[in-house]
Every structure is written in C-alpha cells, then in structure tokens.
Amino acid sequence: MIVPAMTTDDSPRSDKVDQILQGALQEFLSRGYAGTSMDRVAATAGVSKPTVYHHFQDKEGLFCALVQHIAQVRFYGTLTPCPCAGPPVTTLRQLLEHMLESIAADDEYQDFVRLVIGESGRFPALARLFIIHITKPGIERVQSYLADHPELGLPDPVATAHILVGTVVYVTLTQHILHGQDLIALPQKRLVNALMALLLAKATPASEMSPDLEEVITGADDTL
Amino acid sequence: MIVPAMTTDDSPRSDKVDQILQGALQEFLSRGYAGTSMDRVAATAGVSKPTVYHHFQDKEGLFCALVQHIAQVRFYGTLTPCPCAGPPVTTLRQLLEHMLESIAADDEYQDFVRLVIGESGRFPALARLFIIHITKPGIERVQSYLADHPELGLPDPVATAHILVGTVVYVTLTQHILHGQDLIALPQKRLVNALMALLLAKATPASEMSPDLEEVITGADDTL
DNA sequence: GTCTATATCTAGATAGAC
DNA sequence: GTCTATCTAGATATAGAC
C-alpha cells in the first residue's frame, strides 16, 4: 500500500478519492487546467492513471469536481471572518485588516483565484460556483454587519459592502496575485485609514469629532 | 535575425509578423497559454508553422511578445479615459460610469484580464507589465484628478484613487469576468451613487447641502 | 478496485527544398 | 522568407490481468 503524499484529513469518503483530489489540487493550482496532465495528477496522488479514470469520468470531470470541492470545503468563507463584538469603528478596521492579511498570507488561495479567473471563460459554471460559495458569502457578511449598525449612518449598506470588499480584493489582486507590490506602493494602513475616513465622514462631521475618535479613524501611528 | 521577444519596438513590422500576432491574439485569448497550439496559431494567422518559428524563438517567446504588444498598444490606458472639463462632481460620476461601461462592453479586454491573471503565477513578468502599462496609468490619472481638485476635501487622493478604481474593477470582475451578474445584483447607478455619497460626505456636510447638489450626488432618477 | 501495458493522437520544434 | 513534410515526446484514454 502506498501512503498518501499529502493528507490533510477530510471526510472519509474513499482514501483513493481524497488522494486523487489532493494530487489534482497541487497540479491544477500550479499548472492550470490545460497545463496539467493526468499522468502527473496520478503520480502526485500516488495512484495509477486507470484508478483516476475509475473515480472520475475524464479530465474535465475531475477538474470540475475538484473546484467544486475546494470552493465548498477548503475556501468557503475565506474572504471574511466573523465580525467580532466591539465598537463598530474598531471592528470594521480589524475586519478590513484581517481580510487583507489573511488573503496576502494564503498562497494557495491566491493560486485558486488565478485558476478560477483564468478558466472563467472556458468554465463559466465554475466561476459562478466561486461567486456563490466564496464571493457572495463574504459580501453578505459585511453588508449584514453594516446594516446591523445604523449608527454608522450609511445610506446603502449593500453598495458600501461592495466598495469595502472590492477595494480589499482589488488591492490584493494587484499587489500579490499580479506581483505589483513594489510597482504600486500603498501601505495597508494608509488604505484602511482612507476607507475608514470615507465611511465615517458622514456619520461624524468634523465639527463634532472628538480627538479620541479622530485617532481611531486615522490609526494609532501615522507611518504612511 | 530573430526579433527580440521583449523590446520596446516602434519600427514598422513586416506583414507576416502582424498576421502572426493577430492569430496568436485570437488563440491565446480564447484558449489560454497551455491550451493554445502553435499549429492553430499558424493556421489562424494564415501562415505556416516554420514561419512562426522564424519570427519568434518559441511558444513562450511568442506569448511574451504578444502580451507586451497588447498591453502597450491595444489596451494602454483602457481603464480610464481622460477626465473631461466640468464640475468635479459631474466629472467624477461620468468617469466612474465610463469606466464601468467601457470595460463591460469590451469582451476582448475581459479575455485579456483572464489570460494575464490566469498566467500570473507562471509568467510574473507579464503580470507586472499589465500593472505598469494598464493598471498604474489608470490609477494615476484618477489620483491626479483628485489631487488637482482640493475642493473635494479628500485627505488622501492616492488611497482614494485605489478605492474608486478598485471598486470599479472588482465589480467588473465579479459581474462580467466571473459571470456573476445575475448572482450578485447591484445596478451600476446604485454603486456609483454610493461611491459619490462617500466621496462627497466630508466635502459637503448634510447641513450645507443644497437640494441641487443632493440631486447630483444621488443621481438624476432613482431607479435602483 | 487497482494495476501494467498500450493504443491513438496531437503537441512543439526542425530539415531541407525553393 | 516561406513552404511541405517529418521527427519525437508527451497527451488522453482504455484493455485486460489480478
């Protein structure tokens, strides 16, 4: 018996199936759909090629099953954590910072985004799975939080959630996925400060803003 | 002599080279890098395969030359038009709407984005070319406009430009590139309204806002 | 269910004629 | 410079033994 190369221990459907999905994950994430060969998938999974074809109809079937599985299990809700309790101003800042940092630190998620976007023209159904299981839950969690805190004075929590999440995703895309970190200099704190300033400008006019609140908005230190 | 793969070349090209680039564009945009065969490139270009290899070192060289050419010539500055004259509030609204609409209408640009992001893990240098020639000029044009209009009262035009462009790109990504238009409903006007409201909240406190300006901010009609 | 071995095709890249 | 014809490696998928 061959020991699986990379076991992250999931649901015990079938040992071989999980092995194959693990191998397919590695290969498809690093080489793309067309660049991946079933030979390499089988080798990386530690099984033979006919075993792969016994469990999955063909290359396309394996790819679709993999993306669906990953979107639902591995990366479900990756985009946003559960907002913790506390004053909205602090919570929102932490939320944005956590989103930026967790995506920036997750190379596998970045590869998954590359794969899904890259194949979205040829596999539109998979792109829509990504929207359903990852993008949409993230946006909805933010917009629920915004809607639950009317003291923020936001006229449109739904659109505002798109602006917040959109800005975070865009910056991650350019800085990390497209390797533009040194080409477009924009420190995380400066971006979050700007977002918070826009969000809170209406809720708290400058004339009513206390020094304490001002500090919370602009951040603890000003190393821009 | 073989044409260098990565040069800034403005000299007139031979007919065949343009034919090959045109064929390569069609094939690579619709099939991706690994999914494209040199046979099909040659056939689509209307030349023979050895002719392709005479002008380009290999498949990778052709691909890099193509992306560089497209980023510099075909899509340079696609992201944002030149801001026209007029009051900043109106101009900004038109700018955002024009960005959203022009990207949404340009299928070839969407395919190019899919290609560059999809290959950004294996061709990081091409992703950086995309940043340099397309992303960065767009952001800089917006931030210059914002900085040139201090009456908007924006504390950080650079970060604000990222928020505006980022929101537009993110919405385009989810709605069109990832085919999520019917999954995430967010009418363009509603998004632009929310962006304008955030931008102008600080510049014009509600107490000083005239009915006319209010209408400009929230849009002419309210078909949300 | 899983393997060894293989059929069939298409890929990238090139010789050599003109 | 451009073509026809071809080489070789690697691709998807399967037959058939265990």
Side-chain angles (χ1 to χ4, degrees):
Chain A
M1 267 299 179
I2 295 179
V3 179
M6 303 264 294
T7 46
T8 38
D9 196 28
D10 274 348
S11 58
R13 327 159 60 164
S14 162
D15 266 356
K16 296 285 182 188
V17 170
D18 283 338
Q19 275 179 247
I20 294 167
L21 286 176
Q22 267 298 329
L25 177 66
Q26 270 186 249
E27 293 299 318
F28 281 123
L29 280 192
S30 60
R31 298 170 190 278
Y33 176 75
T36 292
S37 76
M38 296 295 266
D39 286 88
R40 293 193 62 100
V41 169
T44 304
V47 301
S48 72
K49 206 161 38 163
T51 301
V52 177
Y53 280 96
H54 178 76
H55 291 282
F56 300 92
Q57 191 184 5
D58 53 13
K59 185 182 177 181
E60 196 171 308
L62 171 60
F63 182 63
C64 294
L66 174 74
V67 172
Q68 173 144 8
H69 179 257
I70 297 304
Q72 288 180 352
V73 178
R74 168 73 173 82
F75 290 126
Y76 179 80
T78 277
L79 211 57
T80 51
C82 275
C84 57
V89 178
T90 310
T91 303
L92 273 178
R93 175 177 286 276
Q94 286 173 349
L95 188 68
L96 296 175
E97 284 171 349
H98 180 91
M99 285 166 67
L100 283 164
E101 285 160 8
S102 62
I103 301 179
D106 195 338
D107 288 342
E108 204 167 76
Y109 180 71
Q110 294 173 28
D111 281 336
F112 188 62
V113 171
R114 286 192 187 100
L115 183 66
V116 170
I117 295 178
E119 300 299 337
S120 60
R122 293 169 291 276
F123 294 93
L126 298 186
R128 289 167 62 81
L129 281 181
F130 184 87
I131 298 276
I132 292 171
H133 293 293
I134 297 179
T135 299
K136 207 178 178 191
I139 291 178
E140 282 172 350
R141 212 174 297 177
V142 173
Q143 84 187 37
S144 292
Y145 184 83
L146 296 180
D148 288 345
H149 294 267
E151 68 269 31
L152 290 170
L154 297 172
D156 190 339
V158 174
T160 307
H162 278 80
I163 294 168
L164 292 180
V165 174
T167 300
V168 165
V169 170
Y170 174 75
V171 168
T172 304
L173 189 70
T174 53
Q175 304 250 334
H176 298 98
I177 294 179
L178 291 179
H179 311 100
Q181 200 157 20
D182 58 315
L183 298 175
I184 300 181
L186 184 68
Q188 167 180 310
K189 186 172 280 294
R190 182 168 170 187
L191 178 76
V192 176
N193 284 346
L195 276 173
M196 298 301 293
L198 285 181
L199 272 193
L200 300 175
K202 194 157 194 171
T204 56
S207 55
E208 300 174 12
M209 194 176 294
S210 71
D212 277 358
L213 184 54
E214 178 105 45
E215 183 175 290
V216 172
I217 293 173
T218 56
D221 63 355
D222 283 328
T223 48
L224 303 185
Chain B
M1 256 307 169
I2 294 178
V3 176
M6 298 270 251
T7 55
T8 51
D9 187 5
D10 284 332
S11 62
R13 302 166 192 277
S14 77
D15 280 349
K16 296 286 183 187
V17 170
D18 282 337
Q19 275 180 251
I20 294 168
L21 286 176
Q22 187 60 38
L25 177 67
Q26 265 186 253
E27 293 299 318
F28 280 123
L29 280 192
S30 61
R31 298 170 190 277
Y33 176 75
T36 292
S37 76
M38 295 295 267
D39 287 88
R40 294 194 62 99
V41 169
T44 303
V47 301
S48 72
K49 203 158 47 159
T51 301
V52 176
Y53 280 97
H54 182 264
H55 291 282
F56 300 93
Q57 192 186 359
D58 53 14
K59 185 182 178 181
E60 196 171 307
L62 171 60
F63 182 63
C64 293
L66 173 74
V67 172
Q68 169 142 3
H69 180 257
I70 297 304
Q72 287 181 350
V73 178
R74 168 74 174 81
F75 290 128
Y76 180 81
T78 277
L79 210 58
T80 50
C82 274
C84 58
V89 178
T90 309
T91 302
L92 273 177
R93 175 176 285 276
Q94 287 174 349
L95 187 69
L96 295 175
E97 284 171 348
H98 180 90
M99 285 165 68
L100 283 164
E101 285 161 8
S102 61
I103 299 179
D106 195 340
D107 289 341
E108 206 168 75
Y109 180 72
Q110 294 173 28
D111 281 337
F112 188 61
V113 172
R114 286 193 187 98
L115 183 66
V116 171
I117 294 178
E119 301 298 337
S120 60
R122 293 169 290 276
F123 295 92
L126 297 186
R128 290 166 62 82
L129 281 181
F130 184 86
I131 298 276
I132 292 171
H133 293 292
I134 297 178
T135 300
K136 206 177 179 193
I139 291 179
E140 282 173 350
R141 214 175 295 177
V142 174
Q143 84 187 35
S144 292
Y145 184 82
L146 296 180
D148 286 345
H149 294 267
E151 68 269 31
L152 290 169
L154 297 171
D156 190 339
V158 174
T160 307
H162 278 80
I163 294 168
L164 291 180
V165 175
T167 300
V168 165
V169 170
Y170 174 75
V171 168
T172 304
L173 189 70
T174 53
Q175 304 249 334
H176 297 99
I177 295 179
L178 292 179
H179 312 100
Q181 199 156 21
D182 57 314
L183 298 175
I184 300 182
L186 183 68
Q188 167 182 310
K189 187 172 280 292
R190 182 169 170 186
L191 179 75
V192 176
N193 284 346
L195 276 173
M196 299 300 294
L198 287 181
L199 272 193
L200 300 174
K202 195 157 194 173
T204 57
S207 54
E208 301 173 12
M209 195 176 295
S210 72
D212 277 358
L213 184 54
E214 178 104 44
E215 182 176 291
V216 172
I217 292 172
T218 57
D221 63 357
D222 284 327
T223 49
L224 303 186

